Amino acid sequence: MTTPPSPGPGPASAARFDAFRALAGRGDRPGERLVDALAAARRPTREPPGAWAPRVAADSGLPGAAGLGPASYYADLATPRGRRHVRVCSATACFSVTGGGHLQQVEEILGVTADHVRDDGSVSLQTVRCLGFCYAGPAALDGDTPCAGASLPAQLAGREPARAPEIPAADATGDPVLLGGVLGGERPWQVWPGVVTSGTRDGVLAEVAASGLRGRGGAGFPVAAKWGSTGGALDAVVVANGDEGDPGSFADRLLMEADPGRVLEGLALACFACGAARGVVLVRSEYPRALARLREALDDAYAAGHLGPAVHGTSTRLDIGVVAGAGSYVAGEETALIAGLEGARGCARPRPPYPTQRGVWDAPTVVHNVETLAALPWIVRRGGEAYARRGTPDESGTKLVCLSERFARPGCYEVELGTPLERIVTGLGGGLKDGARPAVVQVGGPLGGFLAGDRLDVPLTEVALAGRGAALGHAGLVALDDRVEPAAVLRHVWEFAAAESCGACSPCRVGSRRGLEIAAAGGPPDEDYGRMLRLLAEASLCAFGRRIPPAVRTLARAYGDRLPGWPR
């Protein structure tokens, strides 16, 4: 029951011809089955993708390039595998703990350099950018066994047992929307049976419209408006985006692991409101426990009659599947995610057409992140107006905020939008460990932006943060203290940008690499650097490239004289 159904045929795209879609349409649209087959072929071999990926594609009735494309693009497929495979986090939260030094320690312990395999095939090491243990870093996955904390090298060497603490979570609102199941034991699937048996699509849509709920994945688009843009198409698909790739955020991992039924119930409600009979949950491969918990919860949901051909005895049919990602940050962008579900490289696609017009196999597709969906049961049960009274008049509701390991009380907190950042950092997080002061705080992911540690007098809203050049994003907060040199942080941001650019457009593909070269060489940069930032911001295909300039500019502004000469 954990394999999602293939969407039926949708209208052919008149806007442009997609060769992969055309070929895949002749081969029963293998979609994620192709990626799963490529992953299975990758595990036992150290050979590069060219040696095995074309054969996998041929077995699916596709030309070799259709297998070589994704196999050489996704990190999990492109990276060679040994009999023991270790994934070590090199993202901002873990970087802030050690200045990146833990990677060298792990390489020495395992006797292999990053993204390589030992000559005897015994061990391979892959660098990844976030494992969702930002509250306890540095972290690694030894196979699927998590290891975290200052003793990470000793854990990987076998001198200490593997340790991975649970995510600390707390509610700061007095009436949690999202953490009721995690903290209070509220059972999921309490709303859906009543809605599907006696509710209406328009009723659900009206409550969500009244709530003012906006997407929590970063774009902040009104949820009800997105639903309405599908036009109630019978072949619509709703996708739960569990590809939470923003370093510093682990809220989606918490929900998927600790309350997966609520995520699935939210997805069911979204499908009902859109008139969709199909839903898909994409879970990033770096979250193996979340993948397992969602698959267990999905089986339970089918057994309880919440899903299937006649949900709770009604004429409503709803089928949901859970699939695993293959390692790519940009594949969390909705058009890239859709490409991945179809079995292609997870690259951003031009818009229009928008996914709600033509998405997965050209069917109207709505993509929501996990936190957005988890809010729906509360809204439908308590009413949209009750939700709208939370937060601020312009940005309603609550938000899960994640605090990284450097804080005295790291963890995931539910707060109302509009809560001052200073209160979150000092009141909830307790400031930094050992009385240290934050030099800068990264907000909303690696490309969300940076604020000076003494300039946190800003409410947690999209508009307020945008006024400082930052973005709300997933609302992960990563503190960096004075132990890490500003130039190293700047280089780290550019390394992330260069490594994770999907390469679909020249401004981002070339600009991110050139930016890394300039940052690695020191500074200050020449005037060409400023022109490059403007080109990235104005001409990049998706938000990834467009957010790089604000991120590096806010970093230079936050550090001030400690990064002289860098554009702000």
Side-chain angles (χ1 to χ4, degrees):
M1 287 185 183
T2 56
T3 299
S6 296
S13 173
R16 61 181 179 275
F17 176 74
D18 188 311
F20 175 80
R21 281 182 171 181
L23 288 167
R26 302 174 193 170
D28 192 31
R29 293 179 173 175
E32 76 283 347
R33 298 195 307 276
L34 174 61
V35 177
D36 288 345
L38 290 168
R42 156 52 77 198
R43 292 186 193 103
T45 181
R46 290 181 288 155
E47 295 296 320
W52 47 269
R55 182 180 66 254
V56 174
D59 291 342
S60 298
L62 295 169
L68 188 58
S72 59
Y73 174 81
Y74 292 106
D76 291 353
L77 304 178
T79 305
R81 294 254 176 161
R83 294 185 292 277
R84 178 189 181 192
H85 187 63
V86 177
R87 287 173 281 181
V88 60
C89 180
S90 62
T92 315
C94 290
F95 171 82
S96 71
V97 180
T98 69
H102 66 286
L103 178 57
Q104 182 178 350
Q105 292 177 315
V106 169
E107 288 178 324
E108 293 172 354
I109 286 291
L110 299 180
V112 61
T113 56
D115 301 315
H116 288 80
V117 60
R118 277 189 194 171
D119 291 340
D120 62 3
S122 59
V123 182
S124 53
L125 178 63
Q126 177 185 351
T127 53
V128 297
R129 288 163 186 85
C130 202
L131 295 171
F133 286 90
C134 317
Y135 57 94
L141 283 176
D142 191 352
D144 285 342
T145 301
C147 307
S151 63
L152 174 65
Q155 295 176 49
L156 293 174
R159 297 195 299 267
E160 294 188 14
R163 289 196 295 270
E166 296 294 323
I167 299 174
D171 170 56
T173 71
D175 183 13
V177 171
L178 300 158
L179 294 182
V182 175
L183 300 176
E186 293 179 5
R187 292 189 301 135
W189 298 110
Q190 301 304 297
V191 178
W192 171 242
V195 168
V196 75
T197 56
S198 60
T200 65
R201 171 180 180 266
D202 288 343
V204 175
L205 187 61
E207 292 296 348
V208 174
S211 75
L213 177 67
R214 292 175 175 266
R216 299 301 191 220
F221 194 81
V223 170
K226 180 177 280 193
W227 291 352
S229 63
T230 67
L234 296 178
D235 61 340
V237 182
V238 181
V239 179
N241 184 356
D243 199 350
E244 180 188 43
D246 278 348
S249 181
F250 41 89
D252 289 359
R253 181 168 84 82
L254 173 66
L255 293 171
M256 290 188 288
E257 291 182 0
D259 202 3
R262 192 170 310 276
V263 175
L264 294 175
E265 184 178 19
L267 178 56
L269 290 167
C271 287
F272 185 78
C274 292
R278 295 177 300 279
V280 180
V281 186
L282 175 72
V283 184
R284 62 198 311 256
S285 63
E286 294 89 343
Y287 288 177
R289 185 181 176 192
L291 186 65
R293 291 286 290 118
L294 274 163
R295 285 176 168 162
E296 292 169 4
L298 185 62
D299 287 341
D300 291 343
Y302 271 100
H306 299 312
L307 305 171
V311 176
H312 291 302
T314 69
S315 61
T316 296
R317 178 187 185 95
L318 179 57
D319 287 301
I320 290 177
V322 176
V323 300
S328 167
Y329 177 81
V330 172
E333 190 273 339
E334 61 180 7
T335 63
L337 180 152
I338 288 167
L341 289 176
E342 295 172 343
R345 293 162 62 95
C347 296
R349 291 170 170 171
R351 291 180 284 187
Y354 293 92
T356 52
Q357 299 168 311
R358 284 194 290 269
V360 180
W361 299 118
D362 281 337
T365 302
V366 171
V367 181
H368 286 310
N369 96 303
V370 164
E371 185 179 330
T372 306
L373 294 169
L376 295 179
W378 192 100
I379 291 171
V380 175
R381 182 179 73 249
R382 301 276 288 272
E385 291 185 2
Y387 187 85
R389 289 192 291 269
R390 316 288 295 272
T392 74
D394 296 321
E395 297 185 34
S396 61
T398 68
K399 184 79 186 73
L400 295 181
V401 177
C402 297
L403 304 185
S404 68
E405 186 273 348
R406 289 289 83 199
F407 289 94
R409 293 189 290 270
C412 183
Y413 296 85
E414 183 166 0
V415 304
E416 293 204 6
L417 284 170
T419 302
L421 212 60
E422 180 69 37
R423 181 188 166 224
I424 296 171
V425 168
T426 60
L428 300 179
L432 299 197
K433 292 178 177 177
D434 304 321
R437 294 185 61 82
V440 297
V441 175
Q442 183 188 76
V443 183
L447 304 180
F450 293 82
L451 299 175
D454 58 358
R455 292 292 312 278
L456 302 178
D457 53 335
V458 56
L460 188 77
T461 65
E462 292 180 11
V463 170
L465 289 169
R468 300 283 187 91
L472 179 63
H474 266 95
L477 302 183
V478 178
L480 294 110
D481 55 32
D482 287 332
R483 297 179 309 163
V484 186
E485 286 297 318
V489 180
L490 179 65
R491 185 169 60 250
H492 173 80
V493 173
W494 277 112
E495 286 172 348
F496 177 90
E500 293 295 345
S501 171
C502 76
C505 68
S506 297
C508 183
R509 180 180 65 251
V510 178
S512 60
R513 295 172 185 172
R514 179 58 183 148
L516 175 57
E517 293 173 356
I518 295 170
D526 58 24
E527 61 182 18
D528 287 342
Y529 181 83
R531 286 196 292 267
M532 181 188 70
L533 293 184
R534 289 193 294 274
L535 181 64
L536 273 165
E538 296 172 6
S540 292
L541 180 61
C542 76
F544 181 89
R546 294 193 296 267
R547 281 300 311 173
I548 295 172
V552 296
R553 286 183 184 276
T554 56
L555 179 65
R557 190 182 309 141
Y559 272 122
D561 292 342
R562 297 184 65 187
L563 276 176
W566 292 88
R568 302 172 189 175

